[in-house]
Amino acid sequence: MDILQVIRERRSIRSFKAREIPPEALQALEEALIWAPSAGNLQARRFFFVTQRPLKEALAVAALGQSFVAQAPLVVVGCADHGRIAPRYGRRGVELYAVQDVACSLMCMMLQAHALGLGTVWVGAFREEEAAKALGLPPELRPVALVPVGYPEHVPRSAPPRLPKEELIFYL
Ligand SMILES: Cc1cc2nc3c(=O)[nH]c(=O)nc-3n(C[C@H](O)[C@H](O)[C@H](O)COP(=O)(O)O)c2cc1C
């Protein structure tokens, strides 16, 4: 697949088969996470690969009952690492850079997942404190997004529409 095809054809997947994710695929997802860019190359981000059922269920509850979170064989929780970013970049680092660092990584991972035939969905609607408590996160880690990963059970037939480019992109 060429990269634009991967970008265009990726869809948010909200229903997963029980099939396990093989180790080679997990390794490719890990590589995609670590090679994403980061502010000052500080890599102020951490990722938790959650496979234990009770933990996935707690995350689904924290995600306002989005039950597909527990259905996926894997949920990757991307966290901003304030301990790593704050000493060099202060408030801007904490509020912006570390969150962007996590987002860059997760997006790369989602594209890699799609290229491998795996489905993902970005889950941003969740109660942070509840998710952090369920995973036993230390206070310097802020969970930014949950990404369920698995082989798709159902793939949407069409893509949600995009705004016309003229409304989004401006050449100056
Ligand atoms: C910041 C952010 C938060 C999102 N939160 C959720 C969520 O909590 N639950 C969900 O089902 N999808 C969530 N999504 C997925 C979007 O609904 C989806 O990307 C959008 O509808 C476009 O569909 P597509 O990903 O198939 O292109 C989120 C996406 C982003 C980028």
Side-chain angles (χ1 to χ4, degrees), residues 65-77:
Q66 299 186 76
S67 54
F68 54 81
V69 172
Q71 193 200 22
L74 168 69
V75 183
V76 176
V77 182

Side-chain angles (χ1 to χ4, degrees), residues 1-10 110-112 114-115:
M1 276 200 220
D2 76 58
I3 188 73
L4 191 56
Q5 186 187 358
V6 177
I7 291 167
R8 288 181 69 137
E9 291 182 0
R10 177 211 56 81
M110 289 167 75
L111 295 175
Q112 174 63 81
H114 178 59

Side-chain angles (χ1 to χ4, degrees), residues 56-66 69 126-127 130:
K56 289 189 295 180
E57 274 164 10
L59 291 175
V61 173
L64 319 176
Q66 299 186 76
V69 172
F126 67 95
R127 291 183 287 265
E130 208 175 305

Side-chain angles (χ1 to χ4, degrees), residues 44-151:
R45 52 194 173 199
R46 291 218 227 146
F47 304 96
F48 295 87
F49 280 42
V50 181
T51 57
Q52 295 173 31
R53 176 150 285 282
L55 294 181
K56 289 189 295 180
E57 274 164 10
L59 291 175
V61 173
L64 319 176
Q66 299 186 76
S67 54
F68 54 81
V69 172
Q71 193 200 22
L74 168 69
V75 183
V76 176
V77 182
C79 299
D81 186 342
H82 295 170
R84 226 179 247 276
I85 203 83
R88 189 177 319 170
Y89 292 124
R91 191 168 151 192
R92 188 168 174 80
V94 167
E95 287 178 357
L96 190 63
Y97 295 166
V99 175
Q100 292 174 329
D101 289 350
V102 175
C104 287
S105 281
L106 290 177
M107 193 62 237
C108 288
M109 184 196 77
M110 289 167 75
L111 295 175
Q112 174 63 81
H114 178 59
L116 292 169
L118 288 161
T120 61
V121 56
W122 185 290
V123 174
F126 67 95
R127 291 183 287 265
E128 283 183 29
E129 283 179 17
E130 208 175 305
K133 195 168 167 208
L135 300 181
L137 299 182
E140 70 273 17
L141 294 187
R142 177 187 183 189
V144 170
L146 318 177
V147 181
V149 185
Y151 290 97

